[in-house]
Each structure stands twice: as structure tokens, then as C-alpha cells.
Amino acid sequence: MAAAAAAAALPAAVTAVSSDSDSDDLLLLPDLLPSSAAPSSPSHAQLHHFHLPSLPSPITVRALPSRGLSFQLWPSAATLLRFLPASPRLLPRAPAPGSPLSVLELGSGTGAAGLALAAALPARVVLSDLPDALPNLRHNAALNAPLLASAGGAATVVPLPWGDAAAMEAVAAAQAASPFDLVVASDVVYYEALVDPLIETLRFFVKGEVVFLMAHMRRWKRTDKKFFGKARKVFDVEVVHEDPPLQGCRHGPVVYRFTAKKQNGRK
């Protein structure tokens, strides 16, 4: 995706943030902490539209910036939703008529990436996040449901705190008839404390031939080092795409492909 397209995908509420000495760069980043302001009224909502070549109308999502992290649009979501439909070679299998891909999105936030993939691949996508993010996520899924249905895709919404064994088992059980082919996420590596729960969640879902595709912007060296260090013990990791740097940054979003390491000749 061109740098201009990446910049155009960012909400007005995105701010430039400089961290301490652990910071890798001055990066565009949504506010990490929820606002102390009252919950947003509809007048504070922001609508974002994503036009993809294969779709007759745009994917539209509502962001509620004053509500905090899960309600904002992150830069890497725009990269993932534009890059992956144009890169079928990265998919674990080709979608077929009557047999769309089965996809799990972790940390869906507004659901922009997952909803776009549901329509453009097409796929049956399970959007997941913490419980307080689900009402807005359901709103966005309903908003795009006619477009998804016309394209042969669909989206459902579930709670999935990372590392929560019961929640992971419930999500997997609900997909028993159509196991996940693909797991996706964008901008999910940010808090160091969430690295271990995220790795645990990936170990649970990314097995056998399942592929994990993650769009990520470098923010803090220590957190990135911890995540990728742990991930590479379990997965083969490769860079499959890099966007040009966004305005004010040394880096743009990068897309990584993770597959389970082979052990004793098997994955």
C-alpha cells in the first residue's frame, strides 16, 4: 500500500507519541489509555470508509476515539485489509464457491481488517476482543452485513481475552465444524504485559497448517524483542510485506507470516 493510502486510513484522533528510552521511534499511535471523558455520544463517532477494488461498495466502520484503545483505528489495520486480498499466495488455501476461508481475528478493535477480509477473500470471520469492545464491534459487523453476504462472507463477534483458556476453548468449540484456516491481527504488540498471553493464544490456535498473518508497527524495542523472541521459539516467522514509512516515522507497517515449527517431522 502506498504511503499516502496508509496515511489516509488514519483517524484524525491519531496522535504522535514519543516514549522513553525504550522507544524505537516517534510513531503515530492511538492513545493507549482510555480517556477520562464520558463515553462518546453518536456525535463523537468517526466513520471510516475503505474502498477495495474487488468490492462494489466500501467497508465502513465506526470508531469512538474518546473511548480508548479498542475503539480507535490503528495504522496496521489499513495495511492488512488492503494487502492480504491482493496476496492470495499467502493464504493457507484458496477460497472456493461455497467454501470461504475460516478466519479468526485477534484484538479486532473496530473490526476494519476482519470485515474487509470477510468480504474481499471471501471468508467467514470471527471478530474477537475484550467484552467492553464488543458492542461497537457488533455495530460495525451489522453495518457491513449486507455487503459481506453479497460477497459470500460473514462475520460473527465473540469475547476472547488473550490467554483465557476457557474463552479459547469456547471459540474453538464453536468452530468445530469449520476449523480456522487463518488467524489475523494488526497492531497487537504494544504492552509488554500482554506478550505472554498473546503468545499463549497463538500457540492454541496456530497449529498444523493454520497460518497467522500479523500487521505490525514497531513502537518499543523491548516489547518487540520479547514478543518476537518468544514467537520464534514456536513459529517460523517471515516478513512478507513492508509499507513505506508513515509521516513522522522511520517505519511503516510490516506484515509477518507465522507458521508452526515442525517437530519430529510434523507440525
Side-chain angles (χ1 to χ4, degrees), residues 6 16 18 20 43 55 57-58 105 136-137 144 147-148 158-159 178 203 210 239 255 259 261 264:
S18 179
D20 55 22
S43 64
L55 301 181
S57 57
E105 183 180 30
N136 190 55
L137 199 50
N144 292 277
L147 175 59
L148 269 58
V158 300
S178 182
R203 289 179 64 122
V210 178
V239 173
V255 180
T259 53
K261 283 186 177 292
N264 299 322

Side-chain angles (χ1 to χ4, degrees), residues 36-107:
S36 58
S40 294
S41 68
S43 64
H44 293 115
Q46 298 177 346
L47 290 180
H48 300 275
H49 308 281
F50 297 91
H51 298 265
L52 297 180
S54 62
L55 301 181
S57 57
I59 293 291
T60 300
V61 297
R62 180 181 71 180
L64 302 170
S66 69
R67 295 287 298 275
L69 179 65
S70 296
F71 300 87
Q72 302 186 38
L73 188 65
W74 288 60
S76 295
T79 294
L80 189 65
L81 69 86
R82 296 179 193 279
F83 168 71
L84 188 52
S87 307
R89 71 188 186 283
L90 297 177
L91 300 176
R93 67 174 178 86
S99 182
L101 285 172
S102 180
V103 179
L104 171 64
E105 183 180 30
L106 301 177

